[in-house]
Amino acid sequence: MNADHKIIAIRHRIIAEVAKMAFEGTLEEELDLLPERMWPGPLPTHRCCVYREREITRQRIRLTLGKASDHRDNGNIIQVIDPACADCPVSGYLVADTCQSCVGKSCLSSCKFGAITAGKHHTEIDRFKCKECGQCAKACPYKAIVHIQRPCKSACPVDALTYDEFGLALIDEEKCIRCGHCIHSCPFGAIGTRNHIVPVIEAIKSNKHVYAMLAPATEGQFGPDITMASWKKAAKEVGFTDLIEVGLGADLTTASEAQEWREAFEKGEKKTTSCCPAFVNMIKKHYPEIADMVSNTVSPMCQLSRLIKARDPEAITVFIGPCIAKKSEVIDHKIEGNADYALIYSEFEALMKAKDVKLTPVENNYQESSVFGKRFANAGGVAKSCLAYLKEEGFDEELSVHSVSGAEELKTALKELQKGDAPFQFVEGMFCKGGCFFGPSSFDTSAKAKRNRDLLIESADQRTIHENLLKIEEQK
């Protein structure tokens, strides 16, 4: 991640404080006092003044309550915190000290918007007039004019971030795919996401049947000794009825997806996977001509939620993982039986902190997923699972499958599908490069974490997908 650890620590502290108040039932009495309690002043600790620190904290609190950061509510799960964004000084084209203030002034004559003037020591650019066309940079013989994008804009793969007349970031709803990659790229912590902590806590306190659903990407990120059983124990101590690994939902998705592939193969149709909500959003918003190629199979999160609710009609289901876009799937795509809420790891950790619960080593004796379901979080994992299932079914035709991850690979593959000249029939798409394990809110994606993950998965029993699905049928 690119975000400063100090920003992350502040964000996590706010969420944990709100979670603690919600569990203790003191939100109404104490919430308004939190900004002053965190930043008593009078001197600031990390911003220009303590008053800005407090205002930014107030807006972060609003996000923690599931609200918009301020009055500019665009309905998006991703929100801009204006007073934090206002700190960012970088925007558009800048004149470097290498400017020679030459007589020719080719930069000035190249600008059609009157944004360039001849300063005392070097040319100056008025950022309020500049349209970022780049003609001045091309015209400068000394290459003294450089284009510096804000990190949030550079991180956005679909050009959904723009700026208003005051230089504050704006999110274009027509383009945004809710991937969340802008959040951790901002060095001022000016972009955040709404969360569902308070309603989840209220459901737990009301003794409702609240089930945690843990993403396959989790294994390995929290150390070699933190198993799925560790998470199950912690979730129950927080107050959840139970915790079930989403790899089980992945096995259900495999069965449905593989059948779609088989039918599409026989009809000569092309298909894309539908597990990754950011990938699906990208297709629907930026490649609508091929939206009918998206699989009708619901995601593993939705599959597992439906299974839980079929077993327990009073169930409330909560997804936990590294994916911001899963919040979009819950809020924007009202799929029948889908998860009621989605939390990222730091939000679940806030629940644990509020209840003084810790993840501790527990014997790796809990498994409800095949290893193929567990590897859904790896790039190529969905395709490998579907091919393995079809092989188990006795289907031995060779399918042309293209597994891609990361924005650039996805764009290339989708353009080929759009043009109709793709040399493959099936596309497995994961928006995060390398798969869900590398999601924007992952805890640890280091080489060591990947090795831990492989060791944990290799220690699981090697049941086939069919064997696992048969077990589900027997439990109904």
Side-chain angles (χ1 to χ4, degrees), residues 87-94 127 147-151 163 167 188:
D87 278 336
C88 185
V90 179
S91 178
Y93 284 83
L94 301 177
R127 69 184 182 90
H147 188 207
I148 301 179
Q149 281 192 332
R150 286 181 175 177
Y163 312 122
F188 286 96

Side-chain angles (χ1 to χ4, degrees), residues 5-26:
H5 290 296
K6 188 171 185 178
I7 294 171
I8 295 174
I10 292 171
R11 184 185 296 136
H12 290 186
R13 181 184 169 191
I14 293 170
I15 298 171
E17 291 282 354
V18 173
K20 185 177 180 181
M21 291 178 194
F23 270 120
E24 294 175 348
T26 59

Side-chain angles (χ1 to χ4, degrees), residues 36-310:
E36 284 76 13
R37 196 170 76 207
M38 287 186 66
W39 319 117
L43 298 178
T45 61
H46 56 281
R47 305 276 180 180
C48 63
C49 67
V50 70
Y51 306 105
R52 175 170 284 185
E53 291 174 348
R54 291 171 182 171
E55 177 56 28
I56 292 169
T57 298
R58 288 189 184 94
Q59 295 200 21
R60 287 200 191 284
I61 290 170
R62 287 181 59 83
L63 292 178
T64 305
L65 298 175
K67 301 177 182 178
S69 56
D70 65 2
H71 63 283
R72 296 196 303 176
D73 187 2
N74 54 12
N76 200 336
I77 58 165
I78 299 171
Q79 296 274 310
V80 177
I81 300 172
D82 285 350
C85 185
D87 278 336
C88 185
V90 179
S91 178
Y93 284 83
L94 301 177
V95 180
D97 289 340
T98 52
C99 174
Q100 302 300 307
S101 192
C102 60
V103 176
K105 298 289 187 299
S106 56
C107 58
L108 195 152
S109 58
S110 70
C111 181
K112 299 179 180 179
F113 308 102
I116 301 179
T117 56
K120 184 176 181 180
H121 300 293
H122 59 68
T123 296
E124 296 175 355
I125 299 177
D126 186 335
R127 69 184 182 90
F128 295 107
K129 293 181 180 179
C130 177
K131 304 300 181 182
E132 298 189 45
C133 67
Q135 293 305 309
C136 59
K138 293 178 182 179
C140 178
Y142 294 99
K143 307 299 180 187
I145 300 178
V146 293
H147 188 207
I148 301 179
Q149 281 192 332
R150 286 181 175 177
C152 59
K153 187 173 179 64
S154 299
C156 181
V158 291
D159 198 27
L161 270 162
T162 56
Y163 312 122
D164 66 12
E165 65 272 27
F166 304 109
L168 299 175
L170 294 173
I171 298 174
D172 187 337
E173 284 301 291
E174 298 299 316
K175 295 180 178 179
C176 180
I177 59 175
R178 276 69 160 160
C179 67
H181 283 260
C182 58
I183 294 174
H184 289 286
S185 71
C186 177
F188 286 96
I191 304 179
T193 173
R194 306 175 195 242
N195 71 54
H196 300 136
I197 277 188
V198 174
V200 169
I201 291 174
E202 293 304 323
I204 291 173
K205 287 173 61 179
S206 300
N207 294 317
K208 295 181 180 179
H209 302 176
V210 188
Y211 293 83
M213 305 186 300
L214 190 60
T218 307
E219 287 186 290
Q221 294 206 33
F222 294 81
D225 300 322
I226 301 302
T227 64
M228 283 288 180
S230 300
W231 282 84
K232 181 184 277 280
K233 177 175 177 290
K236 288 184 176 181
E237 289 175 352
V238 167
F240 285 87
T241 303
D242 200 358
L243 178 143
I244 302 172
E245 61 172 320
V246 178
L248 174 58
D251 286 336
L252 291 165
T253 291
T254 293
S256 177
E257 187 85 57
Q259 183 59 33
E260 279 200 66
W261 283 17
R262 186 170 188 165
E263 293 172 359
F265 175 80
E266 293 169 352
K267 296 177 182 178
E269 298 174 346
K270 296 184 184 294
K271 284 283 181 184
T272 78
T273 53
S274 56
C275 302
C276 173
F279 175 53
V280 173
N281 289 342
M282 189 179 199
I283 293 175
K284 291 182 176 179
K285 290 192 174 186
H286 298 274
Y287 302 89
E289 302 89 347
I290 59 171
D292 60 343
M293 294 182 188
V294 177
S295 167
N296 292 316
T297 296
V298 296
S299 71
M301 176 179 80
C302 184
Q303 292 277 18
L304 181 58
S305 179
R306 287 178 175 180
L307 177 63
I308 293 171
K309 291 178 178 181

